[in-house]
Amino acid sequence: MSESLAGARSLLARAERVTVLTGAGISAESGIPTFRGESGLWRSHRPEELATPEAFRRDPELVWSWYAWRRSIVATCEPNEGHRALARFALDRGGVTLVTQNVDGLHHRAAVAEAGDRASEPAHPWELHGSLLRDRCFDCNLKSDAHFPPVNELDTGPSRGSDWPETEVRDVEIPRCDACGGLLRPDVVWFGEALPTDALEGAFEAAAVADVCLVVGTSALVHPAASIPRATLRAGRPIVEVNLEPTALSPYAEVSLMGRAGATLPELLR
Ligand code: OAD
């Protein structure tokens, strides 16, 4: 075992409360593209054309096409060893608050699978950037389960990765809100929008009282999410980071474990 892995393990073993912040990197091994990596989504697409309220007002079909494609990828993916190791860790030891920037629902799927017949119901992670698995009315904000478009209408076969088959859902009618008739949108946070207050407050409170903040697979460039581990630092407690490469947070981490989350987390959290 490497010295740093042993060091990180012993920090976690001594910790009563652990807050975990995850980003797109933890889902990369499930086949979900990240945003800023080599074939990241924001390398080939412009967020201001796809992930803002203005973009939706201008061209809701284009925006829906993008999210329908992303939903269709998630529908074919499974939680990986990293998600599963975190889920077991939380179920086995308690005192773990999971906070994610991801909108793919894979942490909860892993937790449900790992919980199996256990009596305890797995907690939902705080989802800072919303969820692809829900819709929300653009006008009145009423939330509903995602129901657009039926994912099996999209053939994502050769188009996986960051290659988006833009035209596929262009002609589908956008669903409307049952309550007010407004256009539905995916219940994710777009650029320029506020994060859900309960998730943001829950995350900062958990980080402020954590004995260790474990940060996995995020470039730590997008705030306020990237500021959450600093609440742990301000309380005089350490950050442990798992990532393929150094990030904006690495200079502040007590231990940086460089490697794939799917291989590193099972080792670290065993
Ligand atoms: P990024 O794409 O910015 O960063 C992904 C990070 O994961 C990088 O630091 C990679 O080195 C690392 N990584 C990739 N594969 C990995 C693996 N197998 N194991 C461990 N690490 C790996 O994604 P985020 O930091 O999550 O927001 O991006 C933050 C936010 O920016 C997203 O939630 C999204 C985006 O705009 C919204 O859409 C609101």
Side-chain angles (χ1 to χ4, degrees):
M1 194 193 321
S2 77
E3 218 172 276
S4 49
L5 183 62
R9 266 196 188 164
S10 107
L11 286 173
L12 289 168
R14 290 199 304 269
E16 207 174 298
R17 286 178 288 210
V18 178
T19 294
V20 184
L21 173 68
T22 66
I26 193 166
S27 294
E29 291 162 67
S30 292
I32 299 179
T34 64
F35 294 93
R36 297 174 183 79
E38 208 174 298
S39 49
L41 297 174
W42 296 152
R43 291 280 180 113
S44 44
H45 303 296
R46 291 158 58 87
E48 58 273 34
E49 284 172 8
L50 299 168
T52 64
E54 294 72 32
F56 188 77
R57 267 189 214 100
R58 195 166 49 235
D59 193 344
E61 285 188 345
L62 179 79
V63 172
W64 261 119
S65 168
W66 164 253
Y67 282 99
W69 171 67
R70 289 182 55 197
R71 271 184 185 171
S72 71
I73 292 178
V74 168
T76 62
C77 290
E78 296 294 329
N80 63 52
E81 286 304 321
H83 297 108
R84 285 200 284 271
L86 272 178
R88 280 194 301 276
F89 181 65
L91 283 162
D92 288 346
R93 54 155 286 158
V96 176
T97 303
L98 183 53
V99 180
T100 188
Q101 298 165 86
N102 299 344
V103 293
D104 54 34
L106 291 184
H107 281 304
H108 191 64
R109 280 172 58 188
V112 170
E114 291 296 332
D117 297 332
R118 295 190 205 203
S120 54
E121 178 82 2
H124 269 277
W126 289 120
E127 292 177 322
L128 296 169
H129 293 162
S131 172
L132 269 181
L133 313 181
R134 283 191 307 269
D135 289 341
R136 171 153 61 93
C137 177
F138 191 65
D139 292 336
C140 77
N141 280 325
L142 184 75
K143 294 185 185 194
S144 50
D145 288 340
H147 59 284
F148 176 91
V151 288
N152 56 13
E153 281 184 11
L154 284 168
D155 171 16
T156 55
S159 311
R160 296 262 318 240
S162 56
D163 189 7
W164 163 43
E166 182 187 329
T167 51
E168 287 190 34
V169 293
R170 272 280 181 179
D171 298 330
V172 178
E173 200 178 324
I174 296 171
R176 289 187 173 269
C177 174
D178 286 342
C180 77
L183 294 180
L184 291 184
R185 55 169 279 183
D187 187 22
V188 296
V189 175
W190 283 333
F191 287 88
E193 293 186 317
L195 275 61
T197 311
D198 55 347
L200 196 58
E201 287 180 359
F204 271 104
E205 278 164 22
V209 298
D211 298 305
V212 176
C213 186
L214 173 61
V215 184
V216 184
T218 177
S219 56
L221 291 173
V222 176
H223 294 270
S227 308
I228 289 167
R230 288 167 192 263
T232 308
L233 275 187
R234 274 196 298 276
R237 309 274 163 69
I239 294 174
V240 170
E241 184 184 47
V242 176
N243 201 299
L244 287 182
E245 57 190 27
T247 72
L249 211 56
S250 304
Y252 308 98
E254 180 100 0
V255 182
S256 281
L257 299 171
M258 296 294 140
R260 293 185 299 110
T264 309
L265 289 177
E267 279 286 298
L268 174 64
L269 305 175
R270 205 168 44 201

